[in-house]
Amino acid sequence: QLAAARRRRMRVLPTISTLILLRHGQSIWNGENPRFTGWCDVPLTVKGRVEAVGAGQLLRSRGFRAANVDVAFTSELQRAHETCELALASMAGHRQDTWSPERIRRDARLNERHYGAVQGYRKDDAGLLAAHGEESIRGWRRSMHGKPPPLDADHPEWRPPPAPTGESLADCQRRVLECFRESISPTLFEEADPTRRDRTVVVVAHANTIRSLMAAFDQVPDDNVPNLHVPNSVPILYRFERSTRSLLSTRLQSAGGGSHARWLLSPENHQAVRSAVQPGGMLTRALFESWDTTGNRALSVAEIEAGIRAMLAEDVERPANCAVIAVAKKIVRELPEGARVSLAQFERLAAAEVAGIEQSIVRQNSNDLLGRVDSRDVQGRISSFGGVGLGSI
């Protein structure tokens, strides 16, 4: 009777496919003086390797062990591939025999967005600003369809076809969703072992490729896609019911719109973001005043971005927690172009982002992940990925 009851319970429990998205750790070009990296194949920094290992340890502590990862996808670029290997090795812990590089599938369609002729330039390069203007450069970075000038065969980062010569974010999303349809989705839904209830697939890639996937899953309008922030080495989880391909986690609202995604943060990171919005914290008056270089009691987007770069400096006396930096970057991404914020507005924005993280923690429970939620809060079965039905993905 006990065995029969157990079988009945198993029949009613949904089969779960978990997709873990992970941006690579810090590279030598996305620290204090960030560059347009794109398809430039630059390595991780020491900090980036530590971040990758930390992401794997966090996943293992939450029950995601390397032995349970069915497939891992990554790009052809070394910063993503090395992050993938380090994270999986860390997820294996002392059981290094439970994972193999053979389970990693590399795909150039998961490469970062191609930044054309500006690849390799610093984002604040004076010559670049003089040649193209700040408005054009911001349009390339913060719009769906803006595209930098194409590179040619004389460019040091030129690659022969089929490599692109430059892309908009929309161009990048098209190839990423093609990769999802043709390669990732079958491993999530069609190759699943019917004798196993859960399936886990990991995708380690880049800010714009992960942003493209998240925008499709959450049906984000084109105008809002560039505002989605993807932090380095913070696991982002989506869970699906395998037979219907429905998203199971509730849709949480934020300043950037609603999302089914869950950032997976360590207890230390949770404490750091809580402390950051307390009096004297990293995201309160003290930081605001240090960033307000003009002394006019209002921060521009440029001042916030400069402040974040300073927080990332290698010689900073007290390095900021990665989760605090992620919150700061998320704030600046969600600000409209040309916006200026007062101290009160800045503190409200920071508190709202931290509250959103706290809400996500509360929602990370068995009821949420298994879909026992108010159907009004759930997008339900995804009906469109930019016009492509998920049922065929």
Side-chain angles (χ1 to χ4, degrees):
Q1 288 181 337
L2 287 174
R6 190 178 299 113
R7 285 194 296 272
R8 284 195 297 271
R9 285 197 300 271
M10 288 298 291
R11 279 197 295 269
V12 300
L13 287 173
T15 52
I16 308 297
S17 286
T18 301
L19 180 64
I20 301 173
L21 305 178
L22 184 65
R23 183 185 176 190
H24 63 80
Q26 185 191 69
S27 77
I28 62 171
W29 281 6
N30 70 349
E32 180 185 0
N33 298 304
R35 295 173 182 260
F36 289 102
T37 309
W39 283 43
C40 300
D41 200 12
V42 299
L44 297 176
T45 61
V46 172
K47 179 183 178 182
R49 295 186 182 96
V50 171
E51 289 173 340
V53 171
Q57 290 173 338
L58 175 58
L59 285 163
R60 188 174 79 248
S61 74
R62 299 297 178 88
F64 294 101
R65 299 182 182 276
N68 298 325
V69 174
D70 297 277
V71 184
F73 290 90
T74 190
S75 76
E76 292 284 0
L77 301 172
Q78 62 173 310
R79 58 191 184 274
H81 184 252
E82 186 178 9
T83 298
C84 188
E85 287 197 321
L86 288 171
L88 283 172
S90 183
M91 290 167 73
H94 68 282
R95 294 291 309 278
Q96 288 298 303
D97 60 319
T98 60
W99 82 283
S100 167
E102 293 177 1
R103 264 186 279 164
I104 299 175
R105 303 180 188 178
R106 301 182 75 167
D107 195 315
R109 291 174 296 183
L110 292 174
N111 282 9
E112 178 59 288
R113 173 189 170 189
H114 195 295
Y115 275 105
V118 303
Q119 286 195 156
Y121 283 88
R122 282 179 49 168
K123 292 179 180 178
D124 60 354
D125 182 272
L128 202 63
L129 289 167
H132 301 284
E134 185 176 350
E135 186 175 343
S136 292
I137 294 172
R138 181 167 289 278
W140 303 337
R141 297 178 60 194
R142 295 288 187 265
S143 71
M144 193 68 176
H145 299 285
K147 183 186 294 189
L151 53 70
D152 56 29
D154 295 327
H155 194 286
E157 298 298 337
W158 183 84
R159 296 187 184 196
T165 58
E167 291 179 309
S168 66
L169 183 52
D171 296 331
C172 176
Q173 186 182 53
R174 275 192 288 273
R175 62 171 163 86
V176 171
L177 294 185
E178 178 186 86
C179 178
F180 185 87
R181 287 191 302 270
E182 296 179 358
S183 301
I184 301 171
S185 178
T187 66
L188 269 175
F189 304 118
E190 296 163 22
E191 298 175 15
D193 183 345
T195 65
R196 290 178 54 189
R197 198 173 73 83
D198 295 341
R199 186 164 179 82
T200 301
V201 173
V202 174
V203 175
V204 182
H206 308 266
N208 283 301
T209 45
I210 292 175
R211 182 175 291 125
S212 296
L213 286 171
M214 294 175 67
F217 296 151
D218 294 320
Q219 299 181 334
V220 178
D222 279 2
D223 288 348
N224 291 344
V225 173
N227 297 335
L228 295 175
H229 176 58
V230 183
N232 287 99
S233 290
V234 173
I236 299 170
L237 274 62
Y238 285 89
R239 292 203 173 190
F240 301 86
E241 202 289 313
R242 204 155 67 215
S243 63
T244 63
R245 307 186 182 195
S246 304
L247 282 161
L248 293 181
S249 49
T250 48
R251 184 179 178 90
L252 303 179
Q253 296 299 321
S254 72
S259 177
H260 297 277
R262 298 293 184 269
W263 287 14
L264 202 60
L265 298 178
S266 68
E268 293 78 13
N269 287 336
H270 286 312
Q271 184 56 49
V273 294
R274 289 190 195 105
S275 299
V277 293
Q278 299 303 313
M282 289 290 292
L283 297 176
T284 57
R285 179 183 297 273
L287 186 68
F288 181 94
E289 291 179 347
S290 70
W291 286 0
D292 183 17
T293 55
T294 60
N296 62 0
R297 311 296 295 168
L299 287 179
S300 66
V301 170
E303 285 176 316
I304 298 174
E305 289 177 337
I308 292 170
R309 287 197 297 272
M311 291 167 73
L312 291 168
E314 292 183 3
D315 59 351
V316 68
E317 187 174 342
R318 291 178 57 197
N321 178 276
C322 65
V324 175
I325 292 174
V327 169
K329 286 184 174 182
K330 196 167 186 293
I331 290 170
V332 77
R333 271 202 168 270
E334 292 173 355
L335 288 173
E337 186 175 349
R340 302 187 69 84
V341 293
S342 66
L343 170 62
Q345 290 171 323
F346 181 76
E347 290 185 331
R348 276 200 302 272
L349 289 169
E353 295 296 353
V354 172
I357 291 172
E358 294 296 315
Q359 183 185 22
S360 180
I361 298 167
V362 171
R363 297 284 190 166
Q364 286 182 31
N365 56 56
S366 58
N367 286 344
D368 178 26
L369 295 178
L370 294 179
R372 299 170 192 157
V373 295
D374 187 335
S375 61
R376 292 171 298 181
D377 295 334
V378 184
Q379 281 280 335
R381 188 177 304 183
I382 300 178
S383 59
S384 172
F385 273 14
V388 181
L390 180 59
S392 64
I393 294 178

